[in-house]
């Protein structure tokens, strides 16, 4: 079935877990096929899917397989015992043969064309970068990967990457060599160079600090957890252009919540500004971006916003809903 909300159309389908395998300490790779036997929709490196694990348990996982193989979708899930429950559900309750509702694929972290790539991964942050590395290599691009983890045994796909690509891959198990050496990042990337980073927040923050003087758009990041929420945010009005309804968004309520209170159904998932499901075009007004997805350039354009967390700098916004 398809789910349609305003400008967004996404596919939902039942998928069967055909195989689960340990690929590192605490990391499971899951291989899904469609229950109806159809091929999956096309996807590109950087894409992720929603796993609908329960009514209030929806989690996003990066696709780490081969985009050319549309018979299966593969994700890798790190067990996080003190997390929000998604990984525990996957590790403890999903068995081979289980049926899971999937939504997507969706790509908020696309691999753009570049003359040179540096990929920086921390822990399970390797998952969205795996298809990127393969695509860059297949295209004959100049690339290298810096990959850090707690231990060598905890670094999913690390041994395979090093074996396949040799010295293009630098593995940094923390218990052996310490933290990932960010001095290996380019000091002054040229126009056309791109750096892709995914991993824990301290790693992303450290890379962002080093990227402060780089050309705009050089650094592309994907976060698994939201940035620290900005304080405050007063009330404002939102006009829904497609329905003609105007809703008031009080302080302490999100645009998404206010719109839902008005009876308008909006496709959403994480509700913390990390998945991109509720991305909505802005037709008028200036959004106050509080998501963890948009680039500085995308924020400056003011053309889109994540209505689950972002607010308004102006008394009124007009959204394509």
């Amino acid at each position: 079935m398809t789910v349609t909300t305003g400008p967004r159309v996404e596919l939902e389908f039942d998928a069967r877990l055909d195989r689960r395998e340990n690929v590192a300490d605490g990391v499971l790779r899951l291989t899904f096929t469609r229950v109806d036997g159809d091929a999956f929709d096309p996807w590109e490196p950087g894409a992720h899917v929603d796993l609908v694990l329960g009514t209030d348990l929806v989690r996003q996982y990066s696709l780490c397989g081969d985009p050319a193989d549309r018979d299966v979708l593969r994700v890798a899930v790190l067990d996080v015992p003190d997390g929000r429950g998604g990984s525990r559900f996957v590790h403890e309750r999903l068995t081979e043969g289980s049926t899971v509702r999937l939504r997507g694929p969706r790509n908020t972290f696309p691999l753009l064309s570049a003359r040179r790539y540096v990929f920086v991964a921390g822990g399970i942050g390797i998952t969205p970068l795996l298809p990127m590395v393969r695509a860059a290599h297949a295209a004959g691009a100049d690339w290298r990967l810096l990959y850090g983890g707690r231990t060598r045994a905890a670094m999913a796909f690390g041994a395979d990457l090093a074996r396949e690509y040799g010295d293009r891959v630098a593995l940094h198990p923390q218990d052996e060599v310490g933290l990932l050496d960010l001095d290996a990042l380019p000091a002054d990337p040229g126009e056309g160079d791109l750096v892709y980073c995914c991993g824990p927040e301290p790693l992303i923050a450290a890379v962002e600090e080093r990227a402060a003087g780089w050309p705009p758009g050089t650094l592309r990041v994907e976060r698994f957890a939201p940035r620290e929420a900005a304080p405050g945010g007063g009330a404002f009005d939102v006009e829904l252009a497609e329905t003609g309804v105007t809703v008031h968004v009080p302080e302490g309520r999100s645009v998404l919540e206010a719109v839902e209170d008005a009876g308008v159904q909006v496709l959403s998932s994480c509700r913390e500004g990390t998945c991109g499901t509720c991305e909505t075009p802005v037709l008028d007004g200036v959004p106050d971006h509080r998501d963890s997805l948009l680039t500085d350039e995308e924020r400056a354009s003011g053309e889109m916003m994540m209505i689950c967390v972002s607010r308004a700098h102006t008394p009124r916004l007009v959204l394509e809903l």
Side-chain angles (χ1 to χ4, degrees), residues 17 21 135 230 265 270 290 301 306:
L17 177 56
E21 54 191 317
Q265 295 302 306
C270 73
R290 301 182 177 204
S301 76
M306 307 302 164

Side-chain angles (χ1 to χ4, degrees), residues 114-120 142 144 146 182-196 207-220:
R115 66 174 186 177
R116 185 181 298 111
Y117 298 97
V118 179
F119 301 107
V120 184
D142 181 4
R144 57 196 172 103
L146 309 177
L182 297 184
D183 287 339
L185 288 174
D188 186 21
E191 294 290 343
D193 294 351
L194 290 178
V195 177
Y196 280 81
V207 175
E208 286 180 328
E209 182 178 351
R210 287 176 177 255
W214 292 356
T218 299
L219 177 62
R220 320 285 296 190

Side-chain angles (χ1 to χ4, degrees), residues 19 29 36 39 72 77 84 151 155 169 175 189 199-200 248 254 277 290 296:
R19 187 178 182 188
R29 177 168 60 186
D36 59 15
V72 299
V77 181
R84 296 177 300 142
T151 66
M155 296 172 66
V169 175
D175 63 335
H248 183 68
S254 69
T277 309
R290 301 182 177 204
D296 289 342

Side-chain angles (χ1 to χ4, degrees), residues 76-271:
V77 181
L78 172 67
D79 188 12
V80 184
D82 58 350
R84 296 177 300 142
S87 70
R88 288 272 77 198
F89 186 101
V90 168
H91 278 254
E92 293 181 349
R93 298 179 60 180
L94 285 190
T95 59
E96 292 182 356
S98 295
T99 298
V100 181
R101 193 75 171 167
L102 267 62
R103 182 186 299 147
R106 180 186 317 116
N107 200 342
T108 57
F109 192 44
L111 180 66
L112 305 179
S113 178
R115 66 174 186 177
R116 185 181 298 111
Y117 298 97
V118 179
F119 301 107
V120 184
I124 198 62
I126 189 63
T127 51
L129 302 185
L130 273 178
M132 295 188 182
V133 165
R134 295 173 184 139
H137 191 76
D142 181 4
W143 68 271
R144 57 196 172 103
L145 168 67
L146 309 177
Y147 180 12
R150 291 181 293 103
T151 66
R152 195 174 295 271
M155 296 172 66
F157 313 109
D160 293 339
L161 286 163
R163 182 170 52 253
E164 186 170 357
Y165 300 116
D167 60 7
R168 289 187 181 224
V169 175
L171 301 182
H172 291 258
Q174 186 175 345
D175 63 335
E176 297 177 23
V177 298
L179 294 174
L180 193 61
D181 181 14
L182 297 184
D183 287 339
L185 288 174
D188 186 21
E191 294 290 343
D193 294 351
L194 290 178
V195 177
Y196 280 81
C197 179
C198 185
E201 184 59 31
L203 171 64
I204 292 177
V207 175
E208 286 180 328
E209 182 178 351
R210 287 176 177 255
W214 292 356
T218 299
L219 177 62
R220 320 285 296 190
V221 304
E222 182 168 71
R223 286 176 159 86
F224 292 138
R227 292 171 170 168
E228 185 176 350
F236 56 97
D237 291 328
V238 172
E239 178 184 335
L240 311 182
E242 293 190 354
T243 62
V245 173
T246 296
V247 299
H248 183 68
V249 183
E251 184 175 356
R253 296 286 284 173
S254 69
V255 176
L256 175 61
E257 291 169 332
V259 168
E260 289 177 334
D261 289 346
V264 179
Q265 295 302 306
V266 179
L267 193 63
S268 66
S269 183
C270 73
R271 293 179 179 256

